[in-house]
């Protein structure tokens, strides 16, 4: 069979994604060997085409993440019909006017970081009777430009969400500052989660997921190392 140039390149790209994916799985296996812990690999598909996403779906991968509601609505409802067991994670800044769509489409939300957002999510969960896995985002490096509840407010915000709003919060999420050694930030997130007996830690990206796993990550979010540059 003779392939056109474009088609041949397309297949080569698929092979690269599969090779990257297998390599990441191996690296995760290696990291968890010593610590006897389960880790979910979330393939961050923001900015990636449906065609590329389907390469992983055909391999049996099911956890993916998006950071924009509009983009997710364009890509995922059709894929979810074809692959009903997809677990879709929201990892972007969430506006309160997008909460209804977020609760409807996503199986997990990682970025709860303020009271009015938590309140809106609680309301939508009750209305829709849908129960996504919920994470509170902590601004672990206390950076002005980053989202997340501040470290000093984290404990009271977690308690407010769980006790007052009855939100079934399962864990914490963070993005450590760029250019600094991430280990102490991951450890601090684990410490805060421990105070509230929260079992899940969403931390670790392409550049630092092995460090995150050693520090106790249960969910790693990896984009570039699987799909290539966006
Ligand atoms: C984009 C993104 C990732 C993935 O980052 P990579 O460096 O491409 O692995 C993880 N988490 C969040 C919140 C992101 O926005």
């Amino acid at each position: 069979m003779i392939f056109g140039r474009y088609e041949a390149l397309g297949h080569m790209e698929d092979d690269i994604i599969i090779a990257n994916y297998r390599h990441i799985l191996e690296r995760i296996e290696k990291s968890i060997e010593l610590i006897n812990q389960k880790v979910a690999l979330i393939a961050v598909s923001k900015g990636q085409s449906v065609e590329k996403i389907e390469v992983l779906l055909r391999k049996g991968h099911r956890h993916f993440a998006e950071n924009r509601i509009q983009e997710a609505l364009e890509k995922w409802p059709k894929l979810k019909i074809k692959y009903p067991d997809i677990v879709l994670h929201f990892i972007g800044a969430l506006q309160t006017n997008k909460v209804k769509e977020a609760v409807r489409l996503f199986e997990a939300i990682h970025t709860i970081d303020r009271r009015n957002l938590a309140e809106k999510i609680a309301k939508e969960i009750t209305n829709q009777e849908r129960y996504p896995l919920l994470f509170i985002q902590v601004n672990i490096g206390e950076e002005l430009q980053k989202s997340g509840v501040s470290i000093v407010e984290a404990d009271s915000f977690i308690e407010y969400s769980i006790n007052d709003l009855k939100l079934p919060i399962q864990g914490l999420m963070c993005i450590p500052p760029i250019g600094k050694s991430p280990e102490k930030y991951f450890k601090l997130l684990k410490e805060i989660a421990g105070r509230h007996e929260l079992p899940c830690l969403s931390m670790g990206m392409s550049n630092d997921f092995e460090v995150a796993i050693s520090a106790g990550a249960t969910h790693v979010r990896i984009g570039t190392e699987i799909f290539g540059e966006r």
Side-chain angles (χ1 to χ4, degrees):
M1 187 189 266
I2 299 167
F3 292 104
R5 194 176 110 81
Y6 183 76
E7 212 174 344
L9 272 177
H11 283 283
M12 206 163 78
E13 219 173 33
D14 292 2
D15 292 344
I16 291 169
I17 291 172
I18 292 165
N20 288 346
Y21 174 63
R22 292 212 170 110
H23 185 55
I24 292 289
L25 286 180
E26 275 169 26
R27 285 170 64 186
I28 292 175
E29 285 294 334
K30 226 180 199 151
S31 311
I32 60 180
E33 227 165 50
L34 296 172
I35 50 182
N36 188 28
Q37 167 178 302
K38 274 196 176 167
V39 174
L41 167 58
I42 304 170
V44 177
S45 50
K46 66 184 184 196
Q48 306 293 351
S49 66
V50 168
E51 290 71 29
K52 285 189 177 182
I53 291 167
E54 279 212 86
V55 173
L56 288 192
L57 282 165
R58 284 195 295 271
K59 285 282 156 201
H61 190 77
R62 290 297 180 265
H63 286 258
F64 294 86
E66 295 285 338
N67 69 340
R68 293 214 180 103
I69 299 293
Q70 192 52 45
E71 182 182 340
L73 283 169
E74 286 159 19
K75 285 153 68 176
W76 289 95
K78 269 186 218 146
L79 287 170
K80 281 184 152 194
I81 292 169
K82 202 162 162 189
Y83 304 91
D85 53 346
I86 283 170
V87 182
L88 194 58
H89 298 254
F90 188 74
I91 59 169
L94 187 51
Q95 295 168 271
T96 46
N97 64 0
K98 297 280 168 67
V99 167
K100 190 183 269 187
E101 278 117 328
V103 170
R104 193 174 292 141
L105 183 62
F106 287 85
E107 278 67 43
I109 298 174
H110 292 237
T111 47
I112 304 171
D113 66 351
R114 56 194 191 277
R115 285 189 178 220
N116 66 343
L117 177 60
E119 287 157 9
K120 194 77 202 288
I121 289 173
K123 203 175 122 199
E124 279 306 324
I125 284 178
T126 309
N127 285 349
Q128 299 185 32
E129 295 183 35
R130 254 184 73 85
Y131 300 91
L133 189 66
L134 300 178
F135 294 81
I136 286 173
Q137 181 176 1
V138 180
N139 187 352
I140 206 74
E142 301 281 16
E143 296 173 282
L144 281 179
Q145 76 281 14
K146 278 226 177 99
S147 324
V149 61
S150 70
I151 292 171
V152 288
E153 286 168 318
D155 291 308
S156 62
F157 181 63
I158 294 165
E159 277 168 19
Y160 173 73
S161 301
I162 294 175
N163 299 333
D164 298 34
L165 300 178
K166 311 292 178 210
L167 275 179
I169 303 290
Q170 285 298 304
L172 302 181
M173 177 272 214
C174 78
I175 308 169
I178 297 169
K180 292 197 185 163
S181 168
E183 194 178 2
K184 71 169 184 183
Y185 299 103
F186 293 147
K187 285 184 169 164
L188 180 56
L189 195 73
K190 185 178 169 75
E191 199 181 297
I192 302 170
R195 292 205 282 268
H196 303 273
E197 293 176 22
L198 297 173
C200 297
L201 288 172
S202 168
M203 57 190 197
M205 307 178 18
S206 287
N207 289 330
D208 56 17
F209 69 91
E210 281 138 327
V211 181
I213 290 171
S214 312
T218 59
H219 294 69
V220 293
R221 314 176 306 265
I222 301 178
T224 314
E225 283 285 311
I226 294 175
F227 293 109
E229 293 294 331
R230 285 176 286 273

